Amino acid sequence: MKTVCFPLRAFAVCAVLAGSPAMFAQAADQAAVPPSDQPAASNSTSSDEVLTLPTFEVTGDQAHGYVASQSTTGTRIASNIADLPFDVDVVTQPFMKDFANFDQNDFLRFVPGYSPSEVTGQYQLRGFTSPVELVDGFRRVGLVDVADIDRVEIIQGPDASIYGAIQPGGVVDYITPQPTTTPAAEMSVVGGGEDFFRSSLWASGPLNSAGTLFYRVSAAYQYNGYGEDFSSQKKGFESVKVLYKPDNATSVTFDFEHEELYQHPFNQDLTVTEKLPMPWAGNNITESQYFGMTYPNLYDYDYAGPESYDVYRMTSGTITLEHQFNSVWNLKFGVNGFTQPYFDQLIGSGAYYPYGTGNVNIVNGQVTNAFTPEVKDQPQVDFKPQKGGGAQLDNLFHFKTGGIDNKLLLTADYNDVNQRTVTYVPEVNGTQATDYYAVYSPYNPAGASYYTPQSSWDAAMGYGWNTTLYDNDPGLYNALTTDQWTDSKDYGVMLVEHASTFNDRLILLAGGRYDYVRNDVANYNIPAVGNATSLVTVLPSPYQAFDYTTSAWTYQLGATFKVVKGINLYANKSTAFNPQPQIDTDTGQALPNNTSDGYDYGVKFTLVDQTLNLTLDRFSINEHNLAQTETDPVSGQKDTILSGLQQANGYQAELSYQAT
């Protein structure tokens, strides 16, 4: 039976027809959640709920659990999605739970314009790659488990510049759940195909009889096997959140998270190279050129074998204060810090050589000497510890002037991310150790094995999938090829006005933001070069080091008009920027900011008691000043230059319907 599932986030029948093994294997030991188990973020006056500021927290809606009506990511304050003059997608926790979605690529696969990446923490929105993820509005590599996600909000396009330096495609924001006001708990055990196993537990409720302290704890363990040979992943997660609410106008939240992820990653299919004569070299000297992908024989073959692995360890802490001074002024202040000591062991380059390596002779277009098909194997180990944090101060002023209802948001924020990157490789006689082994030979008789390791392998390194790893012999990795430190600090201020008039039928948005960015770069294994300029300060050191500052103004303009109840027209225009801490090889100066601008317009339908939502969108995005690295064919050095314009234009249709 063939199943076709449209991008309907709320259409559960698709999951039933598709027959997801993980979904059907979900254990029946999940504890019932009492009706009063609503997030603490609510403006209700019920004694069962904690009162927090509704201007900064959305209110859960169990009746429409799959279809969200509010968002905070698009404007940094709670807003109706239908009223926003741009496209914001929300994936709710009930949807993720019922569809057995446990990873980013799973629960965002129904979001139009989103494309997953094999690299943790990276994705594409509307064709633009972005490494930026937010957790409760703070930047970091995601690494947050679904056990501690209330909703995922995706803002598409340059409107995401309200968070400072950003890629033009948009940003993904994970919103974590608040503690509940009454005791509640849930345990889940899930199993499925490809050795999938997952267990999770969360518990929440009050900590004291006075009703001023509330908690939520969660933990999860998950293991995945994959269809590609030797690829797997396991992770553990735990979080603790404590909410202190001394009165109805004030709340303080303490949030701690830790996740460890160990994986044998997916790798691209082996690339195929073939020998081609070079016009300037004559027929007896050739070079390997890219030809294509190995298919179908090695389609599921992981060239790195079981030896390559990644290790992530994310630890994060956040403190948030919310206070309502009066009916006009609401304040939210948050501070976050995180650390992530990343480590990986890599084996292989993923290149398949049907003609072997080295030069061969070609006579009348035919290879005359023998060759052995091979796969390159280059061991490498990387240390990429990352840490950072930030602070956000949001002041919201809500007042009326004549027939206009005003929401004026004044924001000041700070973000800092720094990373040290160190790479070691084995080196023999001043050259990186490179070994080869045959995995597939067209000369093998029918039915013979595709995997044929050679015996001519360096004794110290082993061969095939027996390469000596860094953990076993660190001294073997004797060459330092990369030792770089980067630090980026972003100081920003923003003013945004939301104006509603004509009995709330016309909603206008206008905002501007100024960012001041300081970048520091040190290449400890590259000799110092260059001269100081007005933009770049070359630090006095034996290695290449510089710092520079840059700034940017960005804006967003938008309008929403309610034609009739449930049908809204919208349009917006916005700009964004992203600093580039690199030196232009031609000028010796820092590259200018990567900038972008774009617009959206369309119509939003919110019908059938908000269970049927349809958005038709037309968008256009322009990205300028793209940094591009090329290899000089003569010197072999890598040059960094600016390329031209990159554009994304398209139409987007999104339909969600919660049938029951």
Side-chain angles (χ1 to χ4, degrees), residues 147-230:
D148 196 43
I149 297 177
D150 180 67
R151 56 208 281 125
V152 184
E153 301 187 354
I154 306 96
I155 177 172
Q156 302 199 35
D159 292 281
S161 62
I162 63 171
Y163 293 96
I166 209 77
Q167 294 288 345
V171 73
V172 173
D173 190 6
Y174 300 89
I175 309 299
T176 61
Q178 293 293 324
T180 58
T181 60
T182 56
E186 179 178 291
M187 178 179 174
S188 175
V189 178
V190 183
E194 296 183 342
D195 298 325
F196 177 80
F197 174 81
R198 174 181 170 84
S199 62
S200 64
L201 170 71
W202 66 263
S204 184
L207 280 172
N208 62 357
S209 59
T212 58
L213 277 176
F214 306 86
Y215 80 98
R216 179 184 171 95
V217 296
S218 60
Y221 170 82
Q222 180 174 318
Y223 177 83
N224 295 70
Y226 296 108
E228 187 181 52
D229 292 342
F230 314 119

Side-chain angles (χ1 to χ4, degrees), residues 39-53:
S42 174
N43 59 353
S44 169
T45 57
S46 169
S47 60
D48 290 337
E49 298 178 353
V50 179
L51 296 179
T52 58
L53 304 184

Side-chain angles (χ1 to χ4, degrees), residues 61-69 92 608-611 658:
D61 185 353
Q62 294 283 33
H64 304 136
Y66 286 1
V67 182
S69 60
T92 64
V608 194
D609 193 24
Q610 298 184 5
T611 62
Q658 182 167 336

